[in-house]
Amino acid sequence: MSDRKQFRDLASPEEAREVIDGLDLSPGVERVDLDDADGRVLADRVDARLDVPGFDRAKVDGYALRAADTFGASETDPVEVECVGDIHAGSEPDVSVDEGTCAEISTGAPVPPGADAVVMVERTARDEDTVTVRTSLAPGDGVMVAGADVAAGDRVLGPGTLLTSREIGLLAALGMETVPVRAKPRVGIVSTGDELVRPGGEVSHRAGQIYDVNSYSIAAAVRDAGGEPVLYPHAGDDYEELERVLRDAADDCDLVLSSGSTSASAVDVVYQVVEERGDLLLHGVSVKPGKPMLLGEMGGSAYVGLPGYPVSALTIFRTFVAPKIRDAAGLPEPRSATVEGTMAVRERYGEGRTRLMPAALVESGDGETLVYPVDKGSGATTSLVEADGTVTVDADTEYLDEGETVEVELFSPDVRPPSVFAVGERDPGFDRVLDRLSNPRFLGLGSREGARRLRNGVPDVAVTTDNRGEGEELASWTREWGLVVPAGNPLAVSGIADLVDADVTLSNRTGASGLRDAFDDALAELADERDSNRRTLAEDIDGYERETKGTESPARAVLEGNADAGLALRATADRLGLEFVPLGEQTVRALANPERVEKRGVKELADVLADVEDVLADLAGYEA
Ligand SMILES: Nc1nc2c(c(=O)[nH]1)N[C@H]1C(S)=C(S)[C@@H](COP(=O)(O)OP(=O)(O)OC[C@H]3O[C@@H](n4cnc5c(N)ncnc54)[C@H](O)[C@@H]3O)O[C@H]1N2
Ligand code: MOO
């Protein structure tokens, strides 16, 4: 206990930024092949070592001649010259042009000695060796002279230039096979935690294992910032192991990032390693999420300890680390884009830390941008996927009021609000509808929450079951629901009465879901028949209180042998190959916010729903 870290004195975000500014992670210079130079930053100045073009070059197909010979020529008063040969691109001229003569020439070929202009073929006529020229030319017409593009000795590109297709074209014209560029900062990533398994491996939920998120999200973000990520093996919460991996990474990298183990637990040893084996410059910053961030140096490399929670790790990376990597890589700050919007709901805060609040956008019917917080907690990867950017909330702000104007910094300038924003019951039929739309957003919060949010005017559309919710009905369909049971229905479950009367374990859905509503209504009916009440019957159902999150969760519980029966849709039973005991049909409705029916995305949704029969065709238990 005595070793636990207390976060009494958190650094301000500005202090953290200053410490990061002071870290040294300047990578050197390397030469790369021209084909690998795209997106790199030139380390040195490039001077032209030759003329481009290297010779006087024909700009058009036609005849090379002496401009003086065409003096005064026109359509009505042409001149004639004699053709003495021809010249092709890529070969040395074997003729020269004298007074009164010309040579046929193709675009890009060297202008022959004696000629000072090229007339395009369209302004001439030819009869045997006689060429009639119907225009007059000045010296240099139709010719790109040597060095006109770049002259030998010119300074062509400066250090720090970002190489794109255009600059690469110029370097190729100069014949450069390799170019000196700033090396990308090498960024070692060390994820800590005994619970981590790399995607591709098997996780044991019983043992509390999870897939490693941060190694991958942070590696992608490092690459995006212009660094080169290097993944190191997971380190457990063991001092020696962690020290060894961090040292390896520090030996090989300009910057080492660890994730996890930064916090208050006795097993969170990473700060101890940095404190004892390196130089711990800062621990704890007054931001949410990401409070336990560490900054320091170790083995000649800069070091940042990111918190373990994926949202915290990525937020700290984006806010503090990415700008540093970009700077070291010589890349410009990316264009940032901010959008002003109106808070759609009231959001309380008051934790005394600067909050980088994930927020999402939705456009109201009249073009106003509404902003709502997306906070499923620092441990939920969807917190960032379901958001469009962040709102920075001052440490001393107690709440953001509904209707208050806020500024959202978008995750990237390309982020667009979703075309249509729907909330409500997860439904395999509506999933198919979503597949046919471009850039929709759907939050599966259940029928009840969908109806509630539609009433509060935030989403464009709610998906609800039976008669829940009010709005413009865009479409409705029915879905068959019931119980899934293992193959062969070993306990011979034939209805709800069996759940009440027999020894059958149920896996139920959450109270927010429409499927659960249907079940509870049927249970209430049974209670009426028995002169009892729903609650009493529910108490007799083993597992009634075992609520699950997903539409398929109860069916999956049956599949895994954790329940004898699960509340489910026929479509789910069909998909998972389970036996199904039908109990009823339920109506699903897509309801539009009445003020948004004219919104483009809502109309697109309505168009898809107009063919709902087609969309739902062959989905088991569905009828439109
Ligand atoms: N008593 C206190 N508990 C916590 C505090 C506190 O002040 N007092 N701070 C909380 C805050 S805020 C954060 S943020 C987290 C940070 O914790 P750590 O950096 O020590 O991270 P871990 O405990 O190792 O992990 C937290 C969480 O994230 C999961 N994790 C870790 N690494 C990964 C990864 N690579 N991919 C996916 N998920 C990862 C880990 O399993 C934990 O669930 O601490 C709070 N607690
Ligand atoms: O700082 Mo922690 O990231 O709030 O969850």
Side-chain angles (χ1 to χ4, degrees):
M1 285 293 144
S2 57
D3 278 350
R4 286 201 171 191
K5 172 80 189 177
Q6 301 281 325
F7 290 104
R8 288 205 192 85
D9 302 309
L10 297 177
S12 69
E14 293 71 31
E15 285 168 317
R17 231 168 242 125
E18 264 172 42
V19 175
I20 288 191
D21 280 348
L23 296 177
D24 175 27
L25 54 114
S26 36
V29 173
E30 61 179 343
R31 284 198 85 90
V32 294
D33 287 346
L34 196 55
D35 353 357
D36 294 325
D38 186 27
R40 303 300 298 268
V41 175
L42 208 56
D44 295 328
R45 169 173 134 179
V46 172
D47 292 344
R49 56 184 179 85
L50 40 76
D51 282 342
V52 182
F55 52 92
D56 294 350
R57 193 167 71 179
K59 284 204 267 192
V60 292
D61 296 312
Y63 296 93
L65 39 58
R66 294 178 175 219
D69 286 350
T70 66
F71 183 71
S74 68
E75 287 289 336
T76 51
D77 189 14
V79 296
E80 288 183 351
V81 285
E82 190 200 348
C83 187
V84 294
D86 53 285
I87 306 149
H88 294 287
S91 54
E92 193 180 338
D94 55 2
V95 290
S96 60
V97 170
D98 298 320
E99 197 179 333
T101 69
C102 69
E104 189 175 350
I105 193 164
S106 51
T107 304
V111 175
D116 61 5
V118 175
V119 58
M120 62 198 294
V121 69
E122 291 87 335
R123 311 306 299 272
T124 65
R126 183 156 178 183
D127 182 15
E128 305 272 306
D129 284 341
T130 304
V131 176
T132 306
V133 179
R134 293 194 301 256
T135 185
S136 59
L137 294 120
D141 281 357
V143 178
M144 186 175 194
V145 294
D149 186 1
V150 183
D154 281 357
R155 173 187 188 273
V156 286
L157 293 172
T161 304
L162 177 64
L163 300 178
T164 70
S165 50
R166 295 173 293 121
E167 290 75 20
I168 287 170
L170 173 52
L171 295 168
L174 294 172
M176 292 187 68
E177 189 184 9
T178 61
V179 274
V181 294
R182 288 230 207 165
K184 292 184 178 189
R186 274 175 79 77
V187 182
I189 300 173
V190 181
S191 286
T192 72
D194 292 319
E195 71 277 32
L196 301 180
V197 176
R198 294 250 199 251
E202 281 286 319
V203 286
S204 158
H205 287 168
R206 285 181 207 281
Q209 293 181 326
I210 55 170
Y211 284 117
D212 174 9
V213 172
N214 297 342
S215 294
Y216 299 90
S217 58
I218 299 300
V222 164
R223 220 172 270 121
D224 199 39
E228 183 163 312
V230 185
L231 292 198
Y232 284 85
H234 292 148
D237 294 315
D238 171 73
Y239 189 99
E240 272 76 35
E241 187 189 358
L242 197 56
E243 189 200 351
R244 189 175 45 73
V245 182
L246 289 179
R247 270 191 185 285
D248 281 354
D251 280 348
D252 188 37
C253 297
D254 302 300
L255 166 67
V256 176
L257 299 175
S258 66
S259 93
S261 187
T262 59
S263 187
S265 148
V267 297
D268 290 337
V269 290
V270 72
Y271 79 88
Q272 294 173 22
V273 175
V274 182
E275 201 163 46
E276 287 161 23
R277 305 290 177 217
D279 196 2
L280 182 61
L281 301 170
L282 181 148
H283 188 185
V285 62
S286 180
V287 294
K288 179 190 169 78
K291 175 181 71 177
M293 167 169 85
L294 297 156
L295 297 175
E297 283 162 350
M298 226 188 131
S301 165
Y303 167 79
V304 180
L306 304 169
Y309 277 134
V311 175
S312 314
L314 203 52
T315 305
I316 288 293
F317 181 89
R318 292 173 51 86
T319 309
F320 296 100
V321 188
K324 181 74 184 174
I325 294 177
R326 246 182 253 117
D327 183 56
L331 293 172
E333 267 299 294
R335 273 182 311 133
S336 70
T338 52
V339 165
E340 217 170 64
T342 309
M343 283 297 288
V345 292
R346 183 181 159 101
E347 172 74 356
R348 274 197 288 133
Y349 178 52
E351 274 187 45
R353 289 186 265 159
T354 302
R355 184 177 180 194
L356 305 166
M357 179 182 85
L361 308 175
V362 56
E363 267 161 12
S364 74
D366 52 13
E368 189 188 14
T369 301
L370 297 177
V371 179
Y372 59 94
V374 182
D375 207 347
K376 295 168 92 173
S378 303
T381 49
T382 42
S383 291
L384 294 181
V385 173
E386 288 171 1
D388 296 306
T390 47
V391 173
T392 303
V393 187
D394 283 346
D396 52 8
T397 300
E398 297 271 313
Y399 62 87
L400 296 172
D401 211 354
E402 183 184 332
E404 186 170 335
T405 302
V406 289
E407 198 163 84
V408 182
E409 180 166 349
L410 300 179
F411 289 133
S412 93
D414 307 321
V415 169
R416 296 281 168 278
S419 58
V420 61
F421 174 39
V423 177
E425 183 78 357
R426 274 195 194 275
D427 177 66
F430 195 69
D431 284 348
R432 288 186 171 190
V433 173
L434 291 170
D435 289 344
R436 298 193 180 199
L437 296 169
S438 106
N439 191 28
R441 175 172 284 146
F442 177 75
L443 302 184
L445 303 174
S447 176
R448 190 171 304 177
E449 184 65 9
R452 191 184 73 79
R453 294 217 183 176
L454 190 66
R455 202 165 47 243
N456 293 342
V458 183
D460 298 320
V461 170
V463 180
T464 69
T465 50
D466 301 316
N467 288 322
R468 218 177 257 292
E470 276 173 41
E472 289 273 326
E473 185 177 303
L474 300 177
S476 74
W477 55 92
T478 60
R479 59 183 193 179
E480 202 177 352
W481 68 274
L483 298 171
V484 288
V485 291
N489 194 359
L491 297 180
V493 177
S494 64
I496 293 189
D498 294 326
L499 301 179
V500 178
D501 304 330
D503 194 9
V504 176
T505 314
L506 175 74
S507 176
N508 205 349
R509 287 296 324 278
T510 75
S513 89
L515 196 51
R516 168 69 176 273
D517 284 343
F519 181 76
D520 283 348
D521 288 349
L523 194 60
E525 249 174 63
L526 181 67
D528 275 354
E529 284 168 23
R530 295 186 177 186
D531 279 335
S532 176
N533 63 60
R534 184 170 65 96
R535 188 169 297 220
T536 311
L537 296 197
E539 277 169 12
D540 286 338
I541 299 178
D542 179 23
Y544 180 85
E545 303 298 337
R546 256 206 259 169
E547 299 187 343
T548 57
K549 269 285 182 199
T551 312
E552 291 192 353
S553 309
R556 288 177 180 274
V558 172
L559 201 61
E560 284 157 20
N562 296 328
D564 302 319
L567 181 56
L569 298 172
R570 182 185 282 281
T572 302
D574 193 60
R575 196 163 109 103
L576 299 179
L578 285 158
E579 207 154 313
F580 183 69
V581 180
L583 292 179
E585 273 194 350
Q586 163 168 66
T587 308
V588 182
R589 295 190 301 158
L591 302 173
N593 182 331
E595 285 168 21
R596 311 256 178 95
V597 282
E598 291 303 319
K599 180 172 161 174
R600 192 157 136 197
V602 176
K603 285 178 148 180
E604 284 164 2
L605 170 65
D607 283 347
V608 174
L609 288 171
D611 292 329
V612 71
E613 229 167 288
D614 175 43
V615 178
L616 301 179
D618 77 15
L619 188 55
Y622 274 74
E623 213 150 310

